Amino acid sequence: IGEVYSVLKDVVGMSNDDMAAQFAKWNEGDLDSYLIEITSKILAKKDDVTGKGHVVDYVLDKTGSKGTGRWTVQEAAEQSVACPTLAASLDCRYISSIKGERVKASKILKGPTEFPNVSKEQIVADLEAALYASKVCSYAQGLALIKAASDANGWGVNLSECAKLWKGGCIIRAALLEKIQAALAKDVNLANLMVDSGFAAELNSRQLSWRRIATLCIASGIPMPGICASLNYFDSYRTENLPANLTQAQRDFFGGHTYERTDKEGVFHTAWTDAHKDIGDINERKQGENVQK
């Protein structure tokens, strides 16, 4: 949401009141949620200290953290579950906290001086689609993490019930949870929220807008870590053949970590150069590996 606010403000050139109205409008559609609702109210709030402007413009761009985000990302690593959007949001907080360094860096590191010429109406429409798609990916990652932890610990968590509970009074409550609850109830073995037929259709239909926003922000030098992380998650998950084969070959080259082949079963090691020696029992080399199947 903060990234969308940045584009509306710095690229589209909207005032706080205009942005408040835009978020309020979005809150009447697919983006209907508690956080979108309060964003509209925050942007509309006039400053009662100075009597000039809006409160949001006086708030220091330095985000605090109580630790829940860090715990979540640590658990994702522990469970070997990819949660790039959650990790990106945590990184954003850490970078925001070094305000002094950023002020100095802004005088040394330069961004682009030429910017894409894009219709403002198109940008606003694309932002809505990109934000919705990114939210779906965020929920997909969170649910995948809960499922992995539940499976590992034998908790038997009902993910559909989780979505139902979140609708009742959590800060992430959203109209979107109604569809999430239905999707998880329909298929209790759903591998990932994104491959539900309904959500897959929504993501596929919004991907061009999503990509246009990512491209616009990269070309304009505007940080978009969350939305870009979500798009990369979507692209990685839908890619049948990733370049991980080269990464695993490198691991085997420098550490004898072995690899699996595409043409036969088993675990293999290659003597990549004349300097490579026999590594002995391959099964022993595999001990300690944590490979997701």
Side-chain angles (χ1 to χ4, degrees), residues 7-134:
V7 176
L8 290 175
K9 177 184 177 184
D10 298 327
V11 178
V12 181
M14 280 188 174
S15 67
N16 287 323
D17 289 332
D18 287 341
M19 287 188 285
Q22 185 62 61
F23 276 99
K25 180 180 178 181
W26 282 340
N27 198 50
E28 297 173 355
D30 289 337
L31 291 175
D32 176 13
S33 68
Y34 174 74
L35 290 176
I36 294 294
E37 177 187 347
I38 68 169
T39 299
S40 175
K41 293 178 179 178
I42 288 169
L43 290 168
K45 181 66 175 176
K46 300 294 192 296
D47 185 52
D48 54 7
V49 176
T50 64
K52 299 177 182 179
H54 297 71
V55 178
V56 69
D57 292 327
Y58 292 96
V59 178
L60 183 66
D61 59 324
K62 188 174 178 179
T63 307
S65 178
K66 290 291 186 180
T68 51
R70 182 176 68 251
W71 300 334
T72 301
V73 173
Q74 287 174 335
E75 186 61 29
E78 186 68 27
Q79 297 295 337
S80 298
V81 174
C83 292
T85 308
L86 308 186
S89 66
L90 186 63
D91 287 339
C92 285
R93 293 192 176 198
Y94 294 152
I95 291 178
S96 78
S97 70
I98 52 173
K99 174 71 174 180
E101 291 184 37
R102 289 189 288 113
V103 170
K104 292 178 181 177
S106 69
K107 297 175 173 59
I108 301 170
L109 305 177
K110 305 300 180 183
T113 55
E114 297 181 5
F115 304 96
N117 184 16
V118 184
S119 160
K120 293 183 178 180
E121 291 76 14
Q122 181 71 64
I123 294 174
V124 172
D126 285 347
L127 282 171
E128 180 179 15
L131 182 53
Y132 181 84
S134 297

Side-chain angles (χ1 to χ4, degrees), residues 237-258:
Y237 195 81
R238 69 172 186 80
T239 299
E240 181 177 355
N241 294 306
L242 291 168
N245 56 324
L246 176 58
T247 304
Q248 189 61 21
Q250 290 174 324
R251 295 183 73 242
D252 188 53
F253 186 106
F254 64 66
H257 294 292
T258 73

Side-chain angles (χ1 to χ4, degrees), residues 143 147 151 157-161 180-192 196:
L143 289 164
K147 183 179 186 303
D151 291 346
V157 174
N158 185 320
L159 296 180
S160 179
E161 286 299 305
I180 292 176
Q181 182 185 355
L184 295 170
K186 180 178 67 176
D187 183 0
V188 296
N189 296 313
L190 188 65
N192 187 289
D196 167 75

Side-chain angles (χ1 to χ4, degrees), residues 15 81 93 101 106-107 116 153 156 164 196 202 206 210-211 219 230 233 238 243 249 264 268 273 278:
S15 67
V81 174
R93 293 192 176 198
E101 291 184 37
S106 69
K107 297 175 173 59
N153 294 283
K164 181 179 179 180
D196 167 75
E202 290 186 328
R206 288 169 170 81
W210 205 359
R211 297 183 193 284
S230 294
Y233 179 73
R238 69 172 186 80
K264 60 178 68 175
F268 301 88
T273 69
D278 189 325

